[in-house]
């Protein structure tokens, strides 16, 4: 399957700081990228959908000013968690989709806010 | 009602057993269907797409019943390495997104 990388894999930050997570599709051009978060023993929750060159579409209840998404190219999307708080601690996973509806996921970023 | 529903399990089965998972979806306009597997603290990985005619990939068989809005996954000759959470996933054209079930936990024991 297609390869999606995500960086960093794990980050610990202090409350009030911002954290940037990068997502790259390595062997295909991703027309659409998705950002999810997952709490322990829960399903993936879609946070936002981004298309290259346009503004992200956020799901209901997700603060766009807190979770900044940039999709600068067909192979790169970034998620910035601004002014992070302990309740933002979670597993953040990006996903990329090419021409078909099949999506491939990055390995995830485990964020811990202290 | 949840958009995609699965029995959370866990299903505890011995090696070599056959196990089946079921999933129902609420939106009859759903277009594409998938099974993903997710290992503990890892990302989901696409296991197989699900087609109306049913499809098989080695020990795995997926079936789709559009009339009943029901999807199934059958695993034959279970291996220890099959232990994971299996996610039923539906593509919604409205919203252009995948919707995930909460997953079914499978534990294969020797």
């Amino acid at each position: 399957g297609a390869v999606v990388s995500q960086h960093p894999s794990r980050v610990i930050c202090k409350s009030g700081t911002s954290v940037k997570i990068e997502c790259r599709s390595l062997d295909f051009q991703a027309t659409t990228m998705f950002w999810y978060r997952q709490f322990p023993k829960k399903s993936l929750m879609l946070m936002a959908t981004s298309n290259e060159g346009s503004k992200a579409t956020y799901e209901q209840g997700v603060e766009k000013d807190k979770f900044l998404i940039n999709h600068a190219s067909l192979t790169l999307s970034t998620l910035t968690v601004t002014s992070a708080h302990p309740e933002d601690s979670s597993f953040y996973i990006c996903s990329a989709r090419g021409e078909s509806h099949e999506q491939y996921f990055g390995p995830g970023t485990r964020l811990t806010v202290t | 009602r949840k958009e995609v529903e699965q029995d959370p399990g866990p299903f505890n089965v011995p090696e070599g057993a056959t196990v089946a998972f079921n999933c129902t979806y609420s939106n009859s306009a759903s277009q594409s269907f998938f099974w993903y597997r997710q290992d503990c603290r890892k990302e989901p990985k696409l296991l197989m797409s699900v087609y109306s005619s049913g499809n098989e990939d080695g020990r795995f068989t997926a079936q789709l019943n559009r009339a009943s809005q029901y999807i199934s996954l059958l695993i034959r000759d279970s291996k220890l390495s099959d232990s994971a959470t299996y996610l039923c996933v539906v593509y919604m054209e409205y919203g252009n997104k995948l919707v995930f079930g909460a997953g079914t936990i499978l534990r294969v024991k020797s």
Side-chain angles (χ1 to χ4, degrees), chain B residues 25-41:
Chain B
Y25 59 96
S26 60
N27 190 331
S28 60
S30 303
Q31 291 187 302
S32 304
F33 309 87
F34 308 93
W35 283 101
Y36 280 75
R37 76 170 271 170
Q38 186 174 25
D39 293 286
C40 188
R41 301 172 75 85

Side-chain angles (χ1 to χ4, degrees), chain B residues 81-102:
Chain B
S81 57
D82 293 334
S83 298
T85 298
Y86 289 82
L87 304 171
C88 176
V89 183
V90 176
Y91 171 70
M92 303 285 191
E93 184 174 18
Y94 176 77
N96 188 28
K97 63 184 181 182
L98 294 180
V99 178
F100 287 78

Side-chain angles (χ1 to χ4, degrees), chain A residues 38 43 59 97 102-103 106, chain B residues 36 38 43 49 96-97 101:
Chain A
Q38 186 176 33
S43 187
E59 294 297 300
R97 186 168 79 201
E102 293 180 354
Q103 282 180 218
Chain B
Y36 280 75
Q38 186 174 25
E43 77 278 19
S49 302
N96 188 28
K97 63 184 181 182

Side-chain angles (χ1 to χ4, degrees), chain B residues 50-64:
Chain B
V50 187
Y51 304 114
S52 296
S53 56
N55 49 301
E56 186 174 310
D57 183 2
R59 298 182 293 110
F60 299 85
T61 301
Q63 295 276 357
L64 167 63

Side-chain angles (χ1 to χ4, degrees), chain A:
Chain A
V3 179
V4 177
S5 71
Q6 201 171 327
H7 177 80
S9 58
R10 184 183 297 269
V11 59
I12 300 172
C13 70
K14 292 186 177 180
S15 189
T17 61
S18 295
V19 174
K20 179 186 279 190
I21 303 169
E22 288 190 353
C23 177
R24 294 180 186 273
S25 58
L26 299 183
D27 55 356
F28 69 105
Q29 292 188 321
T31 53
T32 308
M33 284 188 168
F34 304 85
W35 287 95
Y36 297 82
R37 64 188 295 181
Q38 186 176 33
F39 293 105
K41 299 185 180 180
K42 298 291 184 183
S43 187
L44 276 74
M45 285 178 44
L46 180 64
M47 299 174 66
T49 302
S50 72
N51 293 295
E52 184 262 340
S54 61
K55 289 185 179 180
T57 302
Y58 289 80
E59 294 297 300
Q60 193 172 13
V62 179
E63 298 176 59
K64 62 179 181 179
D65 295 328
K66 180 167 183 61
F67 299 100
L68 301 178
I69 292 172
N70 184 277
H71 192 158
S73 75
L74 285 171
T75 58
L76 172 64
S77 177
T78 61
L79 168 69
T80 302
V81 183
T82 62
S83 187
H85 291 285
E87 58 265 29
D88 297 325
S89 299
S90 187
F91 190 45
Y92 291 86
I93 310 175
C94 75
S95 174
R97 186 168 79 201
E99 297 300 318
S100 71
H101 294 156
E102 293 180 354
Q103 282 180 218
Y104 297 92
F105 289 81
T109 297
R110 196 160 300 279
L111 170 65
T112 303
V113 184
T114 60

